[in-house]
Amino acid sequence: MHIKPILSALRKHRLATLLIALEIALACAVLCNACFLIVHRIEMMQIDSGVEEASLGTIQIDGYEDNQATDLNARILTGLRSIPGVQSVTQLNSIPFGRRRGTMGVMRDVDGKTRAGVVEMYLGGPGSFDALGLRLVAGRKPTVDEYQTFNDLLPHAAPVVTTRAFAEHVWPGEDPLGKFLYSGDWRYQVVGIVDHFTVPQPGGMTGVGSEWSVFVPGGSGRFLAGSYLIKAAPGDLERVMRQAKDSIATIAPDVVLDQDYSKSLGDLRHYYFRQDRTMAGILIGVIFALLLVTALGIVGLASFWVQQRRKQIGIRRAIGATRGDILHYFQTENFLIVTGGIALGMFMAYGLNLTLMHLYELPRLPLFYLPLGAAVLWGLGQLAVLGPAMRAAAVPPVVATRSV
């Protein structure tokens, strides 16, 4: 197939060629970025929380005075533990996929000159580490004696357990065990590393890793109250959670039960990612609509050119061109237009990603999305032009004879 006559024909239809190439370029830019966003959201929705979600639920209450916290904790813990099927009830300030109550910035050095990052300080009462089901991969978990009462937002000093992801971020290539994290007058020594432990709202804060979590042992009191972690067998959890909500009205009739966040962790995960599911659905719809419009544009333009060139096609058939020659001509012509659009679309995709990174601080678009988007558009172009090309190939030589 000679390319030169095809390019010559396209130059005679510059405007139509440019318009369809621009449409393909736009489709390429949107397709690459939309697919990237969908995959990114799906990966986030499938994040490993590191805890036994199927066995855990939480009760969140408010509307009590600070001086009531200790007595309130004792009554609620006792009351919830009396529910049949409950395996444990402990206190935990923040809950995966729930409310965030322990976010703070920490430093690598006591002088506060080397920033480690913004982490979630999960403050847990006795038994909470085991109830969560965290998988320890190095070091040890806090001992019973290390769950001490405190009189501030957090204990001023405590042994802590952090995640592998955060340890590698703060001390890359080093052994994190025994090292310290600082925040003002607070200092925490790392004694254990867990495989995974998600922050309460993964992906919800810019510059914060989804697993930048630290577990801090603490005793019951004013600053560790109102947030309870319930563990039960997966088959019993729904009933246990229903009874737990009902029993709060009897155990502590003056408090306010937070209905939105008093759920099983499975329900909290589903609730937290509802907007991501909606966004992914919208983006999928946009992709299909854009590809459909692009395909219709190619079909329309190719059909118009076939109709316009019937005389030329007939002449070519009369002088020996086969049906395959005519078919390949239109397919090659379409391939050249789509390739030009894709080349421009790749630059547009990169520019669109930079804009999204600047406005919404999204991650950088991995380069492998560009050839994937190009392959989709090349395939779409060939499928779209196939019908008009086959009609062109079916034009008989007699058409040229009658036209002369």
Side-chain angles (χ1 to χ4, degrees), residues 265-318:
L265 263 62
D267 288 342
L268 284 177
R269 174 192 277 267
H270 184 81
Y271 182 71
Y272 177 71
F273 287 115
R274 65 194 186 286
Q275 291 183 347
D276 297 273
R277 289 192 296 275
T278 301
M279 188 191 78
I282 291 174
L283 287 176
I284 290 173
V286 169
I287 289 173
F288 275 107
L290 195 59
L291 291 180
L292 178 62
V293 170
T294 303
L296 291 176
I298 294 172
V299 170
L301 183 64
S303 298
F304 173 73
W305 281 349
V306 169
Q307 185 64 32
Q308 192 181 46
R309 298 171 182 172
R310 282 180 63 84
K311 179 182 176 182
Q312 297 174 0
I313 295 170
I315 293 174
R316 288 198 60 192
R317 291 295 312 279

Short mmCIF file of all heavy atoms in Angstrom, two decimals, residues 265-318:
data_model
loop_
_atom_site.label_atom_id
_atom_site.label_comp_id
_atom_site.label_asym_id
_atom_site.label_seq_id
_atom_site.Cartn_x
_atom_site.Cartn_y
_atom_site.Cartn_z
N LEU A 265 -17.14 -2.80 60.90
CA LEU A 265 -16.09 -2.21 60.06
C LEU A 265 -16.35 -2.46 58.57
O LEU A 265 -15.95 -1.66 57.72
CB LEU A 265 -14.72 -2.75 60.47
CG LEU A 265 -13.94 -1.84 61.43
CD1 LEU A 265 -14.68 -1.66 62.73
CD2 LEU A 265 -12.53 -2.33 61.65
N GLY A 266 -17.02 -3.58 58.26
CA GLY A 266 -17.38 -3.84 56.87
C GLY A 266 -18.34 -2.78 56.35
O GLY A 266 -18.19 -2.29 55.22
N ASP A 267 -19.31 -2.39 57.18
CA ASP A 267 -20.25 -1.34 56.77
C ASP A 267 -19.55 0.02 56.70
O ASP A 267 -19.86 0.85 55.84
CB ASP A 267 -21.41 -1.27 57.77
CG ASP A 267 -22.34 -2.46 57.63
OD1 ASP A 267 -22.28 -3.14 56.57
OD2 ASP A 267 -23.11 -2.73 58.57
N LEU A 268 -18.62 0.26 57.61
CA LEU A 268 -17.88 1.53 57.58
C LEU A 268 -17.06 1.63 56.30
O LEU A 268 -16.98 2.69 55.67
CB LEU A 268 -16.96 1.64 58.80
CG LEU A 268 -17.64 1.98 60.12
CD1 LEU A 268 -16.60 1.99 61.25
CD2 LEU A 268 -18.34 3.34 60.07
N ARG A 269 -16.42 0.52 55.89
CA ARG A 269 -15.65 0.53 54.64
C ARG A 269 -16.57 0.83 53.46
O ARG A 269 -16.24 1.65 52.60
CB ARG A 269 -14.97 -0.82 54.44
CG ARG A 269 -14.26 -0.94 53.09
CD ARG A 269 -13.85 -2.38 52.83
NE ARG A 269 -12.60 -2.72 53.47
CZ ARG A 269 -11.40 -2.64 52.88
NH1 ARG A 269 -11.32 -2.20 51.64
NH2 ARG A 269 -10.30 -3.00 53.52
N HIS A 270 -17.72 0.16 53.42
CA HIS A 270 -18.67 0.38 52.32
C HIS A 270 -19.14 1.84 52.31
O HIS A 270 -19.23 2.46 51.24
CB HIS A 270 -19.87 -0.55 52.49
CG HIS A 270 -20.86 -0.47 51.38
ND1 HIS A 270 -20.68 -1.12 50.18
CD2 HIS A 270 -22.04 0.21 51.28
CE1 HIS A 270 -21.70 -0.85 49.38
NE2 HIS A 270 -22.53 -0.05 50.02
N TYR A 271 -19.40 2.39 53.47
CA TYR A 271 -19.88 3.78 53.59
C TYR A 271 -18.79 4.77 53.19
O TYR A 271 -19.05 5.74 52.48
CB TYR A 271 -20.33 4.03 55.04
CG TYR A 271 -20.89 5.40 55.30
CD1 TYR A 271 -22.13 5.78 54.80
CD2 TYR A 271 -20.18 6.32 56.06
CE1 TYR A 271 -22.65 7.04 55.05
CE2 TYR A 271 -20.68 7.58 56.33
CZ TYR A 271 -21.92 7.94 55.82
OH TYR A 271 -22.42 9.19 56.08
N TYR A 272 -17.55 4.48 53.60
CA TYR A 272 -16.46 5.41 53.34
C TYR A 272 -16.15 5.53 51.85
O TYR A 272 -15.85 6.62 51.35
CB TYR A 272 -15.21 4.96 54.09
CG TYR A 272 -14.00 5.83 53.81
CD1 TYR A 272 -13.92 7.13 54.32
CD2 TYR A 272 -12.96 5.38 53.01
CE1 TYR A 272 -12.84 7.94 54.04
CE2 TYR A 272 -11.87 6.20 52.73
CZ TYR A 272 -11.82 7.47 53.26
OH TYR A 272 -10.74 8.29 52.97
N PHE A 273 -16.24 4.42 51.11
CA PHE A 273 -15.86 4.44 49.70
C PHE A 273 -17.05 4.66 48.77
O PHE A 273 -16.93 4.41 47.57
CB PHE A 273 -15.16 3.12 49.34
CG PHE A 273 -13.76 3.02 49.89
CD1 PHE A 273 -13.45 2.06 50.83
CD2 PHE A 273 -12.77 3.89 49.47
CE1 PHE A 273 -12.17 1.96 51.34
CE2 PHE A 273 -11.49 3.81 49.97
CZ PHE A 273 -11.18 2.84 50.92
N ARG A 274 -18.18 5.11 49.29
CA ARG A 274 -19.36 5.27 48.43
C ARG A 274 -19.12 6.30 47.32
O ARG A 274 -19.55 6.12 46.18
CB ARG A 274 -20.59 5.65 49.27
CG ARG A 274 -20.49 7.01 49.95
CD ARG A 274 -21.55 7.18 51.01
NE ARG A 274 -21.57 8.53 51.58
CZ ARG A 274 -20.67 8.98 52.44
NH1 ARG A 274 -19.67 8.21 52.81
NH2 ARG A 274 -20.74 10.21 52.90
N GLN A 275 -18.42 7.40 47.64
CA GLN A 275 -18.16 8.42 46.63
C GLN A 275 -17.18 7.91 45.57
O GLN A 275 -17.29 8.27 44.40
CB GLN A 275 -17.63 9.69 47.29
CG GLN A 275 -18.67 10.41 48.13
CD GLN A 275 -18.14 11.71 48.71
OE1 GLN A 275 -16.94 11.96 48.69
NE2 GLN A 275 -19.02 12.53 49.24
N ASP A 276 -16.24 7.09 45.97
CA ASP A 276 -15.28 6.53 45.01
C ASP A 276 -15.99 5.60 44.03
O ASP A 276 -15.67 5.60 42.85
CB ASP A 276 -14.20 5.75 45.77
CG ASP A 276 -13.40 6.66 46.68
OD1 ASP A 276 -12.42 7.25 46.21
OD2 ASP A 276 -13.79 6.81 47.85
N ARG A 277 -16.95 4.81 44.54
CA ARG A 277 -17.70 3.94 43.63
C ARG A 277 -18.51 4.76 42.64
O ARG A 277 -18.58 4.44 41.45
CB ARG A 277 -18.62 3.01 44.43
CG ARG A 277 -17.90 1.93 45.21
CD ARG A 277 -18.89 0.91 45.74
NE ARG A 277 -19.82 1.51 46.68
CZ ARG A 277 -19.57 1.67 47.97
NH1 ARG A 277 -18.41 1.24 48.47
NH2 ARG A 277 -20.44 2.22 48.78
N THR A 278 -19.12 5.85 43.14
CA THR A 278 -19.90 6.71 42.25
C THR A 278 -19.01 7.34 41.19
O THR A 278 -19.35 7.38 40.00
CB THR A 278 -20.59 7.81 43.07
OG1 THR A 278 -21.44 7.21 44.05
CG2 THR A 278 -21.41 8.72 42.18
N MET A 279 -17.84 7.83 41.62
CA MET A 279 -16.93 8.48 40.67
C MET A 279 -16.45 7.49 39.62
O MET A 279 -16.40 7.81 38.43
CB MET A 279 -15.73 9.05 41.41
CG MET A 279 -14.84 9.91 40.51
SD MET A 279 -13.27 10.33 41.25
CE MET A 279 -12.38 8.80 41.02
N ALA A 280 -16.14 6.27 40.04
CA ALA A 280 -15.69 5.25 39.08
C ALA A 280 -16.79 4.95 38.08
O ALA A 280 -16.52 4.82 36.87
CB ALA A 280 -15.27 3.98 39.83
N GLY A 281 -18.04 4.86 38.54
CA GLY A 281 -19.15 4.61 37.64
C GLY A 281 -19.34 5.74 36.63
O GLY A 281 -19.58 5.50 35.44
N ILE A 282 -19.21 6.98 37.11
CA ILE A 282 -19.35 8.13 36.21
C ILE A 282 -18.23 8.13 35.16
O ILE A 282 -18.48 8.37 33.97
CB ILE A 282 -19.33 9.45 37.02
CG1 ILE A 282 -20.61 9.55 37.87
CG2 ILE A 282 -19.20 10.65 36.10
CD1 ILE A 282 -20.60 10.72 38.82
N LEU A 283 -17.02 7.86 35.60
CA LEU A 283 -15.89 7.85 34.66
C LEU A 283 -16.04 6.76 33.62
O LEU A 283 -15.72 6.96 32.44
CB LEU A 283 -14.58 7.68 35.43
CG LEU A 283 -14.12 8.90 36.23
CD1 LEU A 283 -12.86 8.57 37.04
CD2 LEU A 283 -13.85 10.08 35.30
N ILE A 284 -16.53 5.59 34.03
CA ILE A 284 -16.77 4.51 33.06
C ILE A 284 -17.81 4.95 32.03
O ILE A 284 -17.66 4.72 30.83
CB ILE A 284 -17.22 3.23 33.79
CG1 ILE A 284 -16.05 2.66 34.59
CG2 ILE A 284 -17.73 2.19 32.80
CD1 ILE A 284 -16.43 1.50 35.48
N GLY A 285 -18.86 5.63 32.51
CA GLY A 285 -19.87 6.14 31.59
C GLY A 285 -19.30 7.16 30.63
O GLY A 285 -19.61 7.15 29.43
N VAL A 286 -18.43 8.04 31.15
CA VAL A 286 -17.79 9.05 30.29
C VAL A 286 -16.93 8.39 29.23
O VAL A 286 -16.94 8.79 28.06
CB VAL A 286 -16.95 10.02 31.16
CG1 VAL A 286 -16.07 10.91 30.28
CG2 VAL A 286 -17.86 10.88 32.03
N ILE A 287 -16.19 7.36 29.63
CA ILE A 287 -15.31 6.67 28.67
C ILE A 287 -16.14 6.05 27.54
O ILE A 287 -15.83 6.21 26.35
CB ILE A 287 -14.49 5.58 29.40
CG1 ILE A 287 -13.44 6.24 30.29
CG2 ILE A 287 -13.82 4.65 28.39
CD1 ILE A 287 -12.70 5.25 31.17
N PHE A 288 -17.21 5.34 27.91
CA PHE A 288 -18.03 4.70 26.88
C PHE A 288 -18.67 5.74 25.96
O PHE A 288 -18.73 5.56 24.74
CB PHE A 288 -19.10 3.83 27.53
CG PHE A 288 -18.63 2.45 27.87
CD1 PHE A 288 -18.38 2.08 29.17
CD2 PHE A 288 -18.40 1.51 26.87
CE1 PHE A 288 -17.91 0.82 29.49
CE2 PHE A 288 -17.93 0.24 27.17
CZ PHE A 288 -17.69 -0.11 28.48
N ALA A 289 -19.14 6.83 26.55
CA ALA A 289 -19.77 7.88 25.74
C ALA A 289 -18.77 8.50 24.78
O ALA A 289 -19.06 8.73 23.59
CB ALA A 289 -20.37 8.94 26.66
N LEU A 290 -17.57 8.76 25.28
CA LEU A 290 -16.55 9.40 24.45
C LEU A 290 -16.10 8.47 23.32
O LEU A 290 -15.94 8.90 22.17
CB LEU A 290 -15.35 9.77 25.34
CG LEU A 290 -14.34 10.75 24.75
CD1 LEU A 290 -15.02 12.07 24.38
CD2 LEU A 290 -13.21 10.99 25.73
N LEU A 291 -15.93 7.19 23.65
CA LEU A 291 -15.52 6.25 22.61
C LEU A 291 -16.62 6.07 21.57
O LEU A 291 -16.34 5.94 20.37
CB LEU A 291 -15.17 4.89 23.24
CG LEU A 291 -13.91 4.85 24.11
CD1 LEU A 291 -13.69 3.47 24.68
CD2 LEU A 291 -12.68 5.29 23.31
N LEU A 292 -17.88 6.09 22.02
CA LEU A 292 -18.99 5.96 21.09
C LEU A 292 -19.04 7.15 20.14
O LEU A 292 -19.20 6.98 18.92
CB LEU A 292 -20.31 5.84 21.86
CG LEU A 292 -21.58 5.74 21.01
CD1 LEU A 292 -21.54 4.48 20.14
CD2 LEU A 292 -22.83 5.74 21.89
N VAL A 293 -18.89 8.36 20.69
CA VAL A 293 -18.90 9.56 19.85
C VAL A 293 -17.74 9.54 18.86
O VAL A 293 -17.90 9.89 17.68
CB VAL A 293 -18.84 10.82 20.75
CG1 VAL A 293 -18.62 12.07 19.91
CG2 VAL A 293 -20.13 10.96 21.55
N THR A 294 -16.58 9.11 19.34
CA THR A 294 -15.41 9.04 18.45
C THR A 294 -15.64 8.03 17.33
O THR A 294 -15.33 8.31 16.16
CB THR A 294 -14.17 8.64 19.27
OG1 THR A 294 -13.98 9.58 20.33
CG2 THR A 294 -12.93 8.61 18.39
N ALA A 295 -16.19 6.88 17.68
CA ALA A 295 -16.45 5.86 16.66
C ALA A 295 -17.47 6.36 15.64
O ALA A 295 -17.30 6.15 14.43
CB ALA A 295 -16.95 4.58 17.34
N LEU A 296 -18.53 7.02 16.14
CA LEU A 296 -19.54 7.54 15.21
C LEU A 296 -18.94 8.61 14.30
O LEU A 296 -19.30 8.71 13.12
CB LEU A 296 -20.71 8.11 16.01
CG LEU A 296 -21.57 7.08 16.75
CD1 LEU A 296 -22.65 7.77 17.58
CD2 LEU A 296 -22.21 6.10 15.77
N GLY A 297 -18.03 9.40 14.84
CA GLY A 297 -17.36 10.41 14.02
C GLY A 297 -16.55 9.77 12.90
O GLY A 297 -16.57 10.23 11.75
N ILE A 298 -15.83 8.72 13.24
CA ILE A 298 -15.03 8.02 12.22
C ILE A 298 -15.94 7.38 11.17
O ILE A 298 -15.68 7.47 9.96
CB ILE A 298 -14.14 6.95 12.89
CG1 ILE A 298 -13.10 7.64 13.79
CG2 ILE A 298 -13.47 6.08 11.85
CD1 ILE A 298 -12.30 6.67 14.63
N VAL A 299 -17.01 6.74 11.62
CA VAL A 299 -17.95 6.11 10.69
C VAL A 299 -18.57 7.16 9.76
O VAL A 299 -18.65 6.96 8.53
CB VAL A 299 -19.06 5.37 11.47
CG1 VAL A 299 -20.17 4.91 10.51
CG2 VAL A 299 -18.49 4.17 12.21
N GLY A 300 -18.96 8.28 10.35
CA GLY A 300 -19.60 9.32 9.53
C GLY A 300 -18.65 9.89 8.48
O GLY A 300 -19.03 10.04 7.30
N LEU A 301 -17.42 10.18 8.90
CA LEU A 301 -16.46 10.75 7.95
C LEU A 301 -16.09 9.74 6.87
O LEU A 301 -16.04 10.08 5.67
CB LEU A 301 -15.21 11.20 8.71
CG LEU A 301 -14.14 11.88 7.84
CD1 LEU A 301 -14.68 13.19 7.26
CD2 LEU A 301 -12.87 12.14 8.66
N ALA A 302 -15.85 8.49 7.28
CA ALA A 302 -15.47 7.47 6.29
C ALA A 302 -16.62 7.22 5.32
O ALA A 302 -16.39 7.05 4.11
CB ALA A 302 -15.09 6.18 7.02
N SER A 303 -17.86 7.19 5.84
CA SER A 303 -19.00 6.97 4.95
C SER A 303 -19.15 8.11 3.94
O SER A 303 -19.45 7.90 2.75
CB SER A 303 -20.30 6.85 5.77
OG SER A 303 -20.21 5.74 6.63
N PHE A 304 -18.92 9.34 4.42
CA PHE A 304 -19.00 10.50 3.52
C PHE A 304 -17.95 10.41 2.42
O PHE A 304 -18.24 10.66 1.24
CB PHE A 304 -18.81 11.78 4.35
CG PHE A 304 -18.71 13.02 3.52
CD1 PHE A 304 -19.84 13.55 2.89
CD2 PHE A 304 -17.50 13.66 3.34
CE1 PHE A 304 -19.75 14.70 2.12
CE2 PHE A 304 -17.40 14.80 2.57
CZ PHE A 304 -18.52 15.33 1.96
N TRP A 305 -16.74 10.03 2.80
CA TRP A 305 -15.66 9.94 1.80
C TRP A 305 -15.91 8.79 0.83
O TRP A 305 -15.58 8.89 -0.35
CB TRP A 305 -14.32 9.75 2.52
CG TRP A 305 -13.78 11.06 3.07
CD1 TRP A 305 -14.25 12.31 2.81
CD2 TRP A 305 -12.67 11.22 3.96
NE1 TRP A 305 -13.53 13.25 3.49
CE2 TRP A 305 -12.54 12.61 4.21
CE3 TRP A 305 -11.79 10.35 4.59
CZ2 TRP A 305 -11.56 13.13 5.04
CZ3 TRP A 305 -10.81 10.88 5.41
CH2 TRP A 305 -10.69 12.25 5.64
N VAL A 306 -16.46 7.71 1.28
CA VAL A 306 -16.78 6.60 0.38
C VAL A 306 -17.81 7.06 -0.66
O VAL A 306 -17.67 6.79 -1.86
CB VAL A 306 -17.32 5.39 1.16
CG1 VAL A 306 -17.91 4.35 0.20
CG2 VAL A 306 -16.21 4.76 1.99
N GLN A 307 -18.83 7.75 -0.19
CA GLN A 307 -19.85 8.24 -1.11
C GLN A 307 -19.27 9.25 -2.09
O GLN A 307 -19.59 9.25 -3.28
CB GLN A 307 -21.00 8.87 -0.30
CG GLN A 307 -22.18 9.32 -1.13
CD GLN A 307 -22.88 8.14 -1.82
OE1 GLN A 307 -22.91 7.03 -1.28
NE2 GLN A 307 -23.41 8.37 -3.01
N GLN A 308 -18.39 10.12 -1.57
CA GLN A 308 -17.79 11.16 -2.40
C GLN A 308 -16.82 10.56 -3.45
O GLN A 308 -16.64 11.13 -4.52
CB GLN A 308 -17.05 12.15 -1.49
CG GLN A 308 -16.62 13.43 -2.16
CD GLN A 308 -15.88 14.33 -1.18
OE1 GLN A 308 -15.00 13.89 -0.44
NE2 GLN A 308 -16.26 15.61 -1.16
N ARG A 309 -16.22 9.42 -3.11
CA ARG A 309 -15.18 8.85 -3.98
C ARG A 309 -15.67 7.66 -4.80
O ARG A 309 -14.83 6.89 -5.29
CB ARG A 309 -13.99 8.41 -3.13
CG ARG A 309 -13.30 9.53 -2.37
CD ARG A 309 -12.29 8.96 -1.39
NE ARG A 309 -11.63 9.99 -0.61
CZ ARG A 309 -10.83 9.73 0.43
NH1 ARG A 309 -10.62 8.46 0.79
NH2 ARG A 309 -10.26 10.71 1.09
N ARG A 310 -16.94 7.48 -4.91
CA ARG A 310 -17.44 6.31 -5.65
C ARG A 310 -16.89 6.26 -7.08
O ARG A 310 -16.52 5.20 -7.59
CB ARG A 310 -18.97 6.31 -5.68
CG ARG A 310 -19.60 5.84 -4.38
CD ARG A 310 -21.12 5.86 -4.47
NE ARG A 310 -21.63 4.94 -5.49
CZ ARG A 310 -21.84 3.64 -5.28
NH1 ARG A 310 -21.57 3.11 -4.09
NH2 ARG A 310 -22.29 2.88 -6.25
N LYS A 311 -16.83 7.41 -7.70
CA LYS A 311 -16.32 7.43 -9.07
C LYS A 311 -14.84 7.01 -9.11
O LYS A 311 -14.43 6.19 -9.94
CB LYS A 311 -16.48 8.84 -9.65
CG LYS A 311 -15.95 8.98 -11.07
CD LYS A 311 -16.11 10.41 -11.55
CE LYS A 311 -15.50 10.57 -12.94
NZ LYS A 311 -15.63 11.98 -13.40
N GLN A 312 -14.06 7.56 -8.18
CA GLN A 312 -12.63 7.20 -8.13
C GLN A 312 -12.44 5.72 -7.81
O GLN A 312 -11.57 5.05 -8.38
CB GLN A 312 -11.92 8.04 -7.07
CG GLN A 312 -11.95 9.53 -7.37
CD GLN A 312 -11.37 10.35 -6.24
OE1 GLN A 312 -10.96 9.80 -5.22
NE2 GLN A 312 -11.37 11.66 -6.40
N ILE A 313 -13.28 5.24 -6.91
CA ILE A 313 -13.18 3.82 -6.54
C ILE A 313 -13.51 2.95 -7.75
O ILE A 313 -12.83 1.95 -8.05
CB ILE A 313 -14.13 3.50 -5.37
CG1 ILE A 313 -13.69 4.26 -4.13
CG2 ILE A 313 -14.15 2.00 -5.08
CD1 ILE A 313 -14.70 4.21 -2.99
N GLY A 314 -14.56 3.33 -8.47
CA GLY A 314 -14.94 2.57 -9.66
C GLY A 314 -13.82 2.55 -10.69
O GLY A 314 -13.56 1.52 -11.33
N ILE A 315 -13.16 3.71 -10.88
CA ILE A 315 -12.05 3.77 -11.85
C ILE A 315 -10.91 2.85 -11.42
O ILE A 315 -10.34 2.12 -12.23
CB ILE A 315 -11.56 5.23 -11.98
CG1 ILE A 315 -12.65 6.09 -12.64
CG2 ILE A 315 -10.26 5.30 -12.77
CD1 ILE A 315 -12.33 7.57 -12.68
N ARG A 316 -10.60 2.88 -10.10
CA ARG A 316 -9.51 2.02 -9.61
C ARG A 316 -9.86 0.56 -9.79
O ARG A 316 -9.01 -0.25 -10.15
CB ARG A 316 -9.24 2.31 -8.13
CG ARG A 316 -8.57 3.66 -7.88
CD ARG A 316 -7.95 3.69 -6.50
NE ARG A 316 -6.95 2.65 -6.35
CZ ARG A 316 -6.41 2.30 -5.19
NH1 ARG A 316 -6.82 2.89 -4.09
NH2 ARG A 316 -5.50 1.36 -5.14
N ARG A 317 -11.12 0.22 -9.54
CA ARG A 317 -11.52 -1.18 -9.76
C ARG A 317 -11.42 -1.54 -11.24
O ARG A 317 -11.01 -2.66 -11.60
CB ARG A 317 -12.97 -1.39 -9.28
CG ARG A 317 -13.18 -1.31 -7.79
CD ARG A 317 -12.45 -2.43 -7.05
NE ARG A 317 -12.69 -3.73 -7.65
CZ ARG A 317 -13.79 -4.47 -7.42
NH1 ARG A 317 -14.71 -4.03 -6.59
NH2 ARG A 317 -13.93 -5.65 -8.01
N ALA A 318 -11.77 -0.57 -12.11
CA ALA A 318 -11.76 -0.84 -13.55
C ALA A 318 -10.34 -1.06 -14.08
O ALA A 318 -10.14 -1.80 -15.06
CB ALA A 318 -12.42 0.33 -14.30
#
